[in-house]
Amino acid sequence: LWMLGRPAVRFLDTVLPEADAALAAVALARFEVRAGEYVLVVPGGGTGHPGALSAPQIVAEAAQRIALKSYPTILVGVTPQGARLAASAHELKVAPRLPVGVLIELIRAARLVISNGGDTMLQALACRRPCVAVPIAGDQAFRIKRCAKLGLVAAARLDTADLERVALRTLEAEAAASANDPAALPAARVANGMEEALAAIGRLARLDAPMDEAPRPRAAAPAALAAPRLLFLPVYGPHGMGEYVRAVQIAQAARARWPDAQIQFAVSREAPYDMETQFARTLLPSSPTFHTPEVIALIEKMRPQVVIFDNAGRAAQLRAARRVGAR
């Protein structure tokens, strides 16, 4: 990479939308809770992962136990198990999968977040919220262990009793430290990389002139640059939705920055979510990673300026993107 001078490698902790006070007020009113007073439980996409197929039920039962200790609790994305548990715990509110913006505002205002070891954990840390993390996918145990060693999260086993114990212990410690006072919170160790992601996309689409290059008048720029064409190809399977959530957040932020942007997604029919309706989409039988001919046809038809892969993508797909001048 040093010899070639490309590609530029950027390590982003997580991506978050800008805070939205109006949306936060609506979200809190929906669940009849107040900022800093509730436990938010977000185990993930709501489906079991290989090796942890019972994870949604285990986390839902822990949420019920916490609510029975009189802590207002919101359980997101686990149904219908959560609906049955909510009937026996007055303080437990259950919600289906929520739009990204709503979920992030609930994270920002939570007293404690209980999550898996994926995106939600990192988002909670970027929002400087106390977090209990439990691994439900193969890559998460090591990440949680590293974060726990740095003192960023409290780690729990995928076990109802242990998750309840760690959560209650963390709540007690949080109360003792008066964590509702921002001054009492530790400095953020996980950063929101949204601005860096948008800057990279803008540079690739030639929307942002390099620092050593004089900016051209907007009227002199080609029309395509005022309305960049962005193609998102997030990789995923039938389990979880972290990759999709990242891609949607970046797409929404790109739309806010470049209102005329043409944004297209290629998404799997089997993924456990409903696609955001504000973006055009091409449905595939499974992850775009496994459907190179369809992806190449989409690239050649759309001729995007920037293609956003959630991973390295297939070599043939990358070559197709380069053939149409995409970056």
Side-chain angles (χ1 to χ4, degrees):
L1 293 179
W2 176 80
M3 293 177 67
L4 292 173
R6 65 178 191 275
V9 179
R10 302 170 178 86
F11 294 96
L12 308 181
D13 292 338
T14 187
V15 289
L16 297 170
E18 292 294 325
D20 186 331
L23 183 60
V26 170
L28 294 177
R30 171 179 173 177
F31 295 103
E32 300 178 323
V33 293
R34 292 187 294 183
E37 295 185 357
Y38 61 90
V39 177
L40 180 66
V41 184
V42 192
T47 59
H49 288 250
L53 296 177
S54 60
Q57 180 67 23
I58 291 172
V59 177
E61 289 174 355
Q64 180 199 35
R65 293 189 183 188
I66 294 167
L68 288 171
K69 296 292 195 299
S70 298
Y71 290 102
T73 304
I74 302 174
L75 174 64
V76 176
V78 179
T79 56
Q81 305 99 315
R84 291 197 296 268
L85 293 171
S88 60
H90 175 69
E91 295 287 358
L92 179 62
K93 308 291 176 64
V94 177
R97 297 183 192 96
L98 296 172
V100 174
V102 175
L103 179 60
I104 296 301
E105 293 304 333
L106 287 174
I107 290 174
R108 286 188 169 111
R111 177 177 178 180
L112 173 69
V113 177
I114 298 175
S115 74
N116 60 38
D119 280 332
T120 309
M121 179 185 74
L122 298 174
Q123 290 165 343
L125 295 179
C127 293
R128 299 180 66 197
R129 304 318 307 150
C131 182
V132 173
V134 57
I136 67 169
D139 63 329
Q140 294 179 2
F142 176 75
R143 187 180 301 115
I144 292 172
K145 183 178 179 180
R146 289 286 296 159
C147 287
K149 186 175 181 179
L150 292 170
L152 302 178
V153 303
R157 299 191 306 274
L158 187 56
D159 172 81
T160 298
D162 189 64
L163 186 51
E164 177 194 12
R165 179 184 62 80
V166 174
L168 294 177
R169 183 185 66 196
T170 304
L171 284 166
E172 293 168 1
E174 175 269 345
S178 301
N180 286 332
D181 177 8
L185 290 169
R189 297 282 298 275
V190 175
N192 181 9
M194 181 66 78
E195 185 59 37
E196 189 171 357
L198 291 179
I201 291 172
R203 178 65 65 88
L204 289 173
R206 303 191 186 281
L207 293 163
D208 303 314
M211 296 299 293
D212 57 350
E213 187 178 293
R216 292 178 295 175
R218 187 173 182 83
L225 297 188
R229 297 183 302 278
L230 309 178
L231 174 60
F232 285 80
L233 302 172
V235 60
Y236 40 68
H239 305 287
M241 56 188 299
E243 295 85 355
Y244 163 75
V245 169
R246 278 196 296 271
V248 168
Q249 287 182 90
I250 294 172
Q252 289 174 336
R255 173 66 57 78
R257 176 157 300 186
W258 305 296
D260 297 327
Q262 300 174 41
I263 298 176
Q264 173 89 27
F265 273 74
V267 295
S268 170
R269 293 181 185 274
E270 66 179 2
Y273 56 75
D274 295 322
M275 178 60 189
E276 300 286 332
T277 57
Q278 72 265 39
F279 302 119
R281 59 179 175 171
T282 296
L283 294 176
L284 301 172
S286 61
S287 172
T289 306
F290 303 113
H291 296 279
T292 292
E294 295 94 326
V295 170
I296 290 176
L298 178 59
I299 289 172
E300 292 175 344
K301 178 181 178 181
M302 183 184 178
R303 302 185 70 83
Q305 290 165 301
V306 179
V307 180
I308 295 95
F309 293 91
D310 193 73
N311 70 341
R314 297 293 187 183
Q317 295 179 16
L318 292 171
R319 286 197 298 269
R322 294 192 180 104
R323 280 199 302 271
V324 301
R327 307 178 79 187

